[in-house]
Amino acid sequence: MGQLVVRTVGPRKDNMRALASLLALGLVALPTAALAHTGHGDTAGFVHGFMHPIGGLDHVLAMVAVGVFAFVLGGRALWLVPLSFVGMMAVGFLLGTNGVTLPYAELAIALSSVVIGGVAAMGRRMPVIAAMALVGGFAAFHGWAHGAEMPADAGALTYTLGFVAATALLHAAGIAASMGVAAMTGRYGRTIAQVAGGLFALGGVGVLAGWL
């Protein structure tokens, strides 16, 4: 249980390691895409992949909420939870590109920010493996949508690199914002992160209701 105790100021080393890992995961896609580049199709594939998560409010809410949730849990969850989302998203992508149907995918994607943000707002301790399973389950639906909606002329590799980079950067944004607030507010940082989780959950409700 000790590994899940949240420290808003003390564990700077763990916080920075998690943030650096996610930033590296996102930014490494840029030179990797350049190495894979063979023409306009690959460039377009990366751009399409990168813009797909960013272009959907339901994706953005869920992915930033994952970063906030990871911060609220703290410890190893700070980097394992976002990485589990990215990993399971890749699995979902493979399902989508191979014609596998996931029922209620759009509903699950919209619900993901409600559930993840809501759990973050509650602020209760959770085993890391349970948190990973929670976000990973929703991530599979996000990845499936990326795969099912991949343009026919997009290269699968560069398209994948694009949405992985965008997702990692959105996770990092959630963690970085939480860390910044914690640095300014000290012991109130976790509480503010919980409030943010609640706002992401409300945003998900807005998407479900068609208000956003």
Side-chain angles (χ1 to χ4, degrees):
M1 291 180 63
Q3 67 185 15
L4 294 179
V5 175
V6 175
R7 308 173 183 85
T8 56
V9 178
R12 293 182 182 275
K13 186 175 181 180
D14 287 344
N15 288 353
M16 294 308 297
R17 180 173 60 183
L19 186 56
S21 297
L22 289 171
L23 288 172
L25 181 61
L27 295 176
V28 75
L30 298 175
T32 304
L35 289 173
H37 174 73
T38 58
H40 177 73
D42 288 325
T43 301
F46 180 84
V47 172
H48 280 302
F50 190 88
M51 293 306 299
H52 195 267
I54 294 176
L57 182 60
D58 48 359
H59 292 300
V60 172
L61 288 171
M63 292 170 183
V64 179
V66 168
V68 174
F69 178 43
F71 175 83
V72 170
L73 290 177
R76 292 187 303 136
L78 198 61
W79 57 278
L80 286 175
V81 166
L83 290 181
S84 68
F85 189 100
V86 173
M88 285 303 297
M89 187 178 61
V91 173
F93 172 75
L94 291 175
L95 296 177
T97 54
N98 283 281
V100 177
T101 301
L102 288 185
Y104 307 109
E106 292 300 322
L107 176 61
I109 291 170
L111 279 173
S112 59
S113 59
V114 178
V115 175
I116 297 170
V119 174
M122 293 172 63
R124 295 185 178 180
R125 293 172 180 170
M126 177 184 295
V128 176
I129 190 66
M132 293 171 65
L134 174 67
V135 302
F138 285 114
F141 289 97
H142 285 268
W144 179 88
H146 296 329
E149 298 172 16
M150 182 177 71
D153 60 344
L157 173 60
T158 49
Y159 182 82
T160 302
L161 291 170
F163 73 71
V164 165
T167 300
L169 292 175
L170 288 170
H171 291 336
I175 294 175
S178 300
M179 288 171 54
V181 171
M184 291 186 292
T185 62
R187 62 192 180 93
Y188 298 107
R190 183 175 189 263
T191 301
I192 295 173
Q194 288 178 243
V195 173
L199 293 176
F200 283 112
L202 287 176
V205 171
V207 171
L208 282 168
W211 302 332
L212 298 175

